[in-house]
């Protein structure tokens, strides 16, 4: 079996220590987590973990099974990239003088469909949402001008198919 990128969605109660136990499942198997995001979900009082890994389908099935054994976990799902719609967000902090002195910077911002979120005396901040490749391309274009700070979020995603989590929760109530 070949390695693929999988997005694992974990719906759980919001309890202390769960993230540590979930990351331990990956650690035991020597599987690196490429991206991790935890947030509220569409269901009140339920959190959603989005975990991105590169492994085989057999391993991801085993991991999802282990995750579901955690008491606080309601349900876990996995998807390949083609089954999801996903984005990442990034912020770039750049020296302010470049915004006015380098016309090319303004073109880069416009062409990359980025936006300036703040301008201060010494710096300005660009925000970019998109696929990882789009963010990396913008990084490479801005790098020669000097990036003061850079941060990228973990993947956020929704499945193309309807997730059965709401139906499952209704049945449990």
């Amino acid at each position: 079996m070949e390695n693929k990128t999988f997005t694992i969605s974990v719906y759980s109660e919001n309890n202390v220590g769960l993230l540590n136990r979930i990351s331990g499942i990956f650690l035991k198997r020597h599987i690196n987590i490429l991206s991790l995001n935890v947030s509220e979900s569409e269901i009140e009082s339920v959190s959603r973990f989005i975990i991105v890994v590169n492994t085989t389908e057999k391993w991801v099935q085993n991991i999802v099974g282990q995750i579901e054994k955690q008491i606080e976990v309601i349900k876990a799902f996995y998807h390949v990239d083609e089954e999801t719609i996903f984005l990442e967000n990034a912020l770039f902090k750049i020296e302010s003088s470049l915004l006015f002195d380098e016309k090319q910077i303004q073109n880069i911002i416009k062409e990359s469909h980025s936006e300036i979120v703040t301008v201060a005396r010494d710096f300005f901040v660009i925000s970019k949402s998109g696929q990882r490749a789009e963010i990396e391309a913008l990084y490479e274009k801005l790098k020669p001008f000097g990036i003061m700070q850079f941060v990228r979020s973990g993947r956020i995603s929704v499945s193309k198919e309807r997730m059965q989590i709401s139906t499952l929760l209704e049945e449990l109530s």
Side-chain angles (χ1 to χ4, degrees):
M1 294 185 104
E2 69 179 79
N3 282 6
K4 291 183 188 175
T5 300
F6 292 94
T7 301
I8 301 170
S9 296
V10 180
Y11 287 85
S12 73
E13 297 171 14
N14 190 6
N15 288 351
V16 174
L18 180 59
L19 177 58
N20 191 37
R21 291 194 307 279
I22 287 175
S23 64
I25 292 169
F26 292 91
L27 179 65
K28 283 187 230 174
R29 289 164 179 74
H30 301 284
I31 295 175
N32 189 37
I33 295 173
L34 302 175
S35 173
L36 172 65
N37 185 7
V38 184
S39 69
E40 297 171 342
S41 73
E42 65 276 17
I43 303 158
E44 189 175 331
S45 302
V46 174
S47 294
R48 184 174 180 189
F49 292 69
I50 302 291
I51 306 165
V52 180
V53 295
N54 191 313
T55 189
T56 64
E57 188 162 8
K58 182 178 181 348
W59 275 109
V60 84
Q61 288 171 346
N62 290 339
I63 290 166
V64 166
Q66 288 296 308
I67 290 171
E68 287 188 327
K69 289 180 182 178
Q70 300 299 310
I71 292 169
E72 302 93 339
V73 171
I74 299 164
K75 187 70 179 157
F77 304 89
Y78 71 91
H79 298 95
V80 293
D81 285 353
E82 295 76 28
E83 298 171 334
T84 62
I85 298 162
F86 57 93
L87 293 173
E88 294 181 5
N89 295 302
L91 296 175
F92 299 83
K93 182 178 174 183
I94 311 285
E95 186 180 324
S96 279
S97 63
L98 293 171
L99 184 58
F100 306 105
D101 298 342
E102 293 286 343
K103 206 63 157 161
Q104 192 177 0
I105 292 273
Q106 293 176 24
N107 292 336
I108 291 169
I109 293 167
K110 185 177 178 182
E111 290 167 3
S112 67
H113 303 287
S114 303
E115 63 180 293
I116 297 172
V117 293
T118 191
V119 178
R121 181 179 303 263
D122 299 327
F123 66 88
F124 68 101
V125 177
I126 301 169
S127 173
K128 170 68 180 156
S129 293
Q131 304 284 322
R132 180 169 281 232
E134 295 173 285
I135 292 170
E136 288 173 352
L138 179 57
Y139 182 91
E140 290 303 317
K141 288 178 182 176
L142 293 173
K143 189 176 174 182
F145 297 100
I147 298 172
M148 297 169 73
Q149 290 183 35
F150 169 74
V151 64
R152 178 177 43 221
S153 72
R155 177 183 285 191
I156 54 174
S157 73
V158 292
S159 65
K160 290 180 181 176
E161 294 295 319
R162 185 168 188 267
M163 298 274 275
Q164 300 301 320
I165 188 71
S166 297
T167 307
L168 176 69
L169 286 174
E170 288 169 7
E171 291 171 3
L172 293 174
S173 319

